[in-house]
Amino acid sequence: LLKTAPEGTHPDAGGNLTRLAMAEGAANGATWQLHRLKPAAQVGAEQYNSFLAARQDVMVRCKPWAVIGLWTSSTQAYFDLPTYPTAISRHLADNHLPHRFVIDREVEQGKLAGLDVLIVPQVSVISGKQLAALEAFARSGKGLILVNRCGERDEWGDQREKLPLGQPTTADAVPPPLRQALGRGRIAYTTCGT
């Protein structure tokens, strides 16, 4: 599969690269559209789709060990604050860990059913409703991973007096990862380079 792919300039590379991308996507629960592909890639996509269809009885029973959600908060951009969902998503994908993105509204409305773990990647601005939903999620027996400081600001961007969700108050107090139980679930705190 990869022998024609290194530079992507070989005439057969398009189909092989397409099959490779589709294999990675299928392994991670992705979907794709076949109608906008170039002809060489279209052939590769059709071949790989046929391969998956022929083995559907085996593949439909495959389930990930844990369903991971990754909070992708657009609110952080409104306040010009950093957040790192794409870097964490890349790390998860590189390590073959299927995950899905979770948006602000899903957290606000507590629509986290089906997830076993939610990663919160330095989401500084978190509303009161979102904090309540995160706490309820963890208390229900799920895992919450807070990367760097999370929720240090309310929905208006005002600094909170105290970090929520039991986070350590200083960066020095975090010997990554630090864990604590919350109800039937758990919260882990960790840091990464910023």
Side-chain angles (χ1 to χ4, degrees):
L1 178 66
L2 290 176
K3 73 179 182 181
T4 59
E7 297 176 14
T9 55
H10 188 279
D12 296 331
N16 286 339
L17 289 172
T18 301
R19 285 191 287 278
L20 181 62
M22 290 177 64
E24 183 176 29
N28 287 300
T31 60
W32 53 88
Q33 297 176 340
L34 302 179
H35 65 278
R36 294 186 184 233
L37 298 176
K38 293 181 180 177
Q42 177 76 28
V43 170
E46 289 171 359
Q47 289 172 346
Y48 195 74
N49 193 54
S50 296
F51 170 84
L52 292 175
R55 289 151 185 85
Q56 182 177 356
D57 61 322
V58 174
M59 297 186 165
V60 295
R61 293 188 303 260
C62 296
K63 299 215 186 289
W65 181 73
V67 181
I68 301 170
L70 177 58
W71 189 355
T72 306
S73 176
S74 60
T75 302
Q76 307 320 295
Y78 297 129
F79 289 95
D80 198 26
L81 295 168
T83 182
Y84 304 97
T86 52
I88 293 174
S89 176
R90 176 62 191 255
H91 178 75
L92 293 170
D94 286 350
N95 288 283
H96 311 287
L97 294 168
H99 59 285
R100 75 171 185 87
F101 289 110
V102 174
I103 60 174
D104 294 328
R105 182 181 36 208
E106 289 177 280
V107 176
E108 180 101 12
Q109 296 171 356
K111 294 185 176 179
L112 304 172
L115 296 178
D116 297 309
V117 176
L118 178 63
I119 300 172
V120 182
Q122 192 171 332
V123 178
S124 299
V125 177
I126 300 179
S127 73
K129 283 184 179 180
Q130 290 169 332
L131 280 176
L134 293 174
E135 187 172 330
F137 177 76
R139 286 188 183 284
S140 73
K142 307 298 183 174
L144 197 56
I145 300 173
L146 305 180
V147 180
N148 294 341
R149 300 177 102 176
C150 296
E152 58 189 338
R153 298 173 186 265
D154 65 17
E155 58 264 39
W156 309 109
D158 295 329
Q159 191 80 27
R160 286 191 165 93
E161 288 184 27
K162 182 180 173 188
L163 285 172
L165 301 168
Q167 294 175 82
T169 54
T170 65
D172 297 336
V174 184
L178 180 67
R179 296 181 185 114
Q180 75 176 24
L182 181 62
R184 294 185 348 247
R186 64 241 171 259
I187 299 179
Y189 313 96
T190 190
T191 60
C192 68
T194 57

